[in-house]
Amino acid sequence: MLDRVGPKRVHPLPVSETGYLNTGSETGTLLGQKYEDGASKLLASSVGLGWGDMVTAELRRHRALRGAGFVQPVNEIAIAVSGQAQIRRRSGLVEQYFMSDPGVACVCPRGVSVRYLNITGDYLDMLHLYYPKDMIGAMGGQNDSTEDAGLVYTGGIRDPLVQTIGMTIAEELRAGEQCNRMLVESLGVALSARILQGYTRRNDWTRSEAYNDAIKSTGLDPQRLQRVSDFIADNIAEDISLNDLSNVSCLSPFHFSRAFKASTGASPIQFLSQLRMIRTKELLASTRHSVDAIALQVGYASGASLSRAFKKLTGTSPARYRNQRRSWQHPAPNSSEPDE
């Protein structure tokens, strides 16, 4: 008797510098090498998910990690998502010792020389986010050569916003190819802005002209807004990313997001979701296409993901909406119209 063969499991690959991530490391460098050396288990990664070069991620399970000294190759923000463990780490004369549980975050800037990193406890699942070397330039849209974002080597951060963003990104990472790229990129930008505001050596970021211009933005000029709107309409069936839209507008992702919301009253992902729902309603009312077929036409990975989004935004299922529309358009014989 032949053994039953189930689907082949694809193991996640650790994140490495591709030459396009702009981390400052040589191509091929494993950005989480210290965790690989410490035998931490890689649960999921953004490799192959098309997240672009604004942020990449790994979800790792740490148990008894005793890391030797290393020089940090990339700006990293780590957020605990489940479990509990004690973390002890040291850079220079600064030793940090704290209990990490869901929501607790750490920052490790690029170029910091770390003497040791120890994690002890039952287990700790952590989301590790790796950012470009020039976080200020990338966020503010300045074409400078700054390589130091001014981040402080900090551990034990308890910030409700950081926790919420981290948990949401972790959920999207677990979703694999079903993840929402624009949501991930938007959250990645928001998280880096939050960290840059609160955990830098100086206030260069919050005093910067680029940051103040973005905060005070009165919106996109009509030409940029029209280019972005046309791009969305022409590519609504595609997996549009925040990076795609910011490139069309010729602005940084952070500056574009602020200006777009000032112009439309909605974030880019809210605006895109609204347009997709409008198009979905049109197709449900005017065609007999299946929900799976409509999902592909409006940019969702599957009928199930479209149905979830549709019900969340409208309060009803696609099938029920279609039946209601057909009943209204073609009332049964001798039926009376409802009172106005």
Side-chain angles (χ1 to χ4, degrees):
M1 179 181 296
L2 295 177
D3 294 334
R4 293 183 61 186
V5 179
K8 183 178 180 181
R9 182 178 178 184
V10 179
H11 294 282
L13 296 174
V15 175
S16 62
E17 170 57 58
T18 62
Y20 298 98
L21 300 182
N22 302 310
T23 64
S25 300
E26 294 183 3
T27 301
T29 300
L30 291 185
L31 302 185
Q33 184 67 60
K34 56 185 177 291
Y35 308 123
E36 292 287 307
D37 294 341
S40 291
K41 184 177 180 180
L42 180 61
L43 303 178
S45 81
S46 61
V47 174
L49 300 183
W51 282 22
D53 56 6
M54 285 192 292
V55 62
T56 52
E58 293 179 336
L59 184 62
R60 288 181 173 273
R61 174 161 294 177
H62 307 295
R63 290 190 183 275
L65 185 150
R66 298 188 65 83
F70 60 89
V71 176
Q72 177 68 4
V74 62
N75 291 314
E76 178 181 353
I77 302 171
I79 306 170
V81 297
S82 65
Q84 187 179 67
Q86 294 176 333
I87 296 180
R88 187 187 295 271
R89 63 183 198 166
R90 182 168 183 171
S91 173
L93 300 176
V94 179
E95 182 181 57
Q96 298 173 357
Y97 178 71
F98 54 92
M99 180 65 70
S100 184
D101 47 40
V104 173
C106 308
V107 176
C108 192
R110 175 180 179 270
V112 166
S113 179
V114 179
R115 293 179 60 179
Y116 54 78
L117 169 62
N118 299 332
I119 302 177
T120 56
D122 183 20
Y123 82 95
L124 184 67
D125 289 352
M126 294 196 79
L127 175 71
H128 299 274
L129 300 170
Y130 307 122
Y131 282 88
K133 64 179 181 180
D134 183 7
M135 292 177 71
I136 292 179
M139 294 288 291
Q142 301 299 304
N143 294 320
D144 56 41
S145 58
T146 304
E147 294 189 6
D148 182 5
L151 292 176
V152 175
Y153 182 72
T154 312
I157 299 169
R158 293 184 181 272
D159 182 322
L161 180 58
V162 170
Q163 177 179 359
T164 299
I165 292 174
M167 294 296 185
T168 306
I169 293 178
E171 288 179 7
E172 292 299 313
L173 186 61
R174 291 190 186 101
E177 294 181 353
Q178 302 295 318
C179 71
N180 186 321
R181 286 175 58 206
M182 184 178 289
L183 175 61
V184 168
E185 291 176 343
S186 298
L187 291 173
V189 168
L191 178 61
S192 57
R194 182 73 166 185
I195 294 297
L196 284 167
Q197 283 178 304
Y199 302 97
T200 54
R201 291 193 303 273
R202 305 171 302 278
N203 291 325
D204 291 349
W205 168 241
T206 54
R207 288 202 308 258
S208 71
E209 182 179 351
Y211 178 80
N212 290 325
D213 284 349
I215 291 296
K216 299 175 182 178
S217 175
T218 56
L220 297 172
D221 61 75
Q223 292 78 19
R224 289 180 198 263
L225 184 58
Q226 188 62 54
R227 289 205 308 269
V228 172
S229 299
D230 290 344
F231 179 86
I232 293 175
D234 293 341
N235 296 277
I236 197 166
E238 305 301 325
D239 184 13
I240 300 173
S241 69
L242 179 64
N243 205 34
D244 293 333
L245 299 184
S246 63
N247 286 337
V248 171
S249 70
C250 299
L251 296 171
S252 74
F254 179 75
H255 199 147
F256 166 73
S257 296
R258 293 275 181 167
F260 185 87
K261 187 166 186 178
S263 295
T264 66
S267 67
I269 190 169
Q270 290 171 334
F271 186 84
L272 178 59
S273 295
Q274 291 167 3
L275 289 186
R276 283 175 167 162
M277 287 302 105
I278 291 172
R279 182 58 178 151
T280 297
K281 289 178 179 179
E282 292 173 349
L283 292 171
L284 287 170
S286 63
T287 75
R288 295 185 178 275
H289 296 166
S290 68
V291 174
D292 285 334
I294 291 175
L296 296 178
Q297 295 178 62
V298 298
Y300 284 89
S302 66
S305 59
L306 171 59
S307 295
R308 286 193 298 269
F310 191 90
K311 188 168 186 178
K312 183 177 180 179
L313 291 176
T314 68
T316 189
S317 68
R320 180 170 294 179
Y321 176 85
R322 169 175 273 169
N323 290 336
Q324 290 171 344
R325 289 288 297 175
R326 287 179 176 174
S327 175
W328 177 79
Q329 291 172 350
H330 305 288
N334 301 321
S335 64
S336 59
E337 294 294 330
D339 294 334
E340 294 294 334

